[in-house]
Structure formats: structure tokens, C-alpha cells
Amino acid sequence: MENENHKRKYYTGFCGHINIVENNELSLFVNLRSMEIYKNSFVLYLGGGIIKGSNPDSEWQETENKALTLSKMLQ
């Protein structure tokens, strides 16, 4: 990927609500958070997205907030 300075290694999968029997519905969401654990450190991987109508600055701030939340949980 030309915009990334690391090789992608991990994918955390999807989660969501499956209600095929009653409403023929399937709503899945990709979990955009994962972590690589080393002996004395860790690396957080976070994703974000820009869609029509979203504000890129707000999306970046949301991504930073995800990192802060995960980092605080590990302290």
C-alpha cells in the first residue's frame, strides 16, 4: 500500500447482529482495532474511514481517541 509505512498482518474479523430467520437481515461491522504484543511493549492497530458526508478531521480525532482509550486500558 502506497500510503502505509507498515505491512498489514492482522485482521480482527467482524461482529454484528444476524437475524436471518425473522427479518432476513444481516448487519456486520468490521472491528478496526487489534494489538500486537511483545515482551516489553505493544503496538496498536486502528482503522478509520471516510465516507460521503464525513469530516476527515473528525475521523482522525476519533481514531486518535480509540488509540488513547486502548492505551489507557493497558496501563
Side-chain angles (χ1 to χ4, degrees), residues 7-67:
K7 290 183 179 181
R8 291 184 179 208
K9 293 191 267 183
Y10 299 104
Y11 171 71
T12 60
F14 61 85
C15 56
H17 177 70
I18 300 174
N19 188 4
I20 296 173
V21 176
E22 291 180 24
N23 298 329
N24 203 24
E25 279 182 17
L26 178 64
S27 299
L28 300 176
F29 305 90
V30 177
N31 185 358
L32 299 175
R33 299 172 185 118
S34 62
M35 177 173 49
E36 191 170 7
I37 301 173
Y38 297 98
K39 186 173 183 176
N40 295 311
S41 64
F42 60 89
V43 177
L44 297 175
Y45 296 95
L46 304 145
I50 299 172
I51 60 172
K52 183 178 179 179
S54 65
N55 179 311
D57 292 330
S58 295
E59 294 295 334
W60 181 254
Q61 186 62 52
E62 182 181 332
T63 302
E64 286 188 341
N65 290 341
K66 289 177 191 176

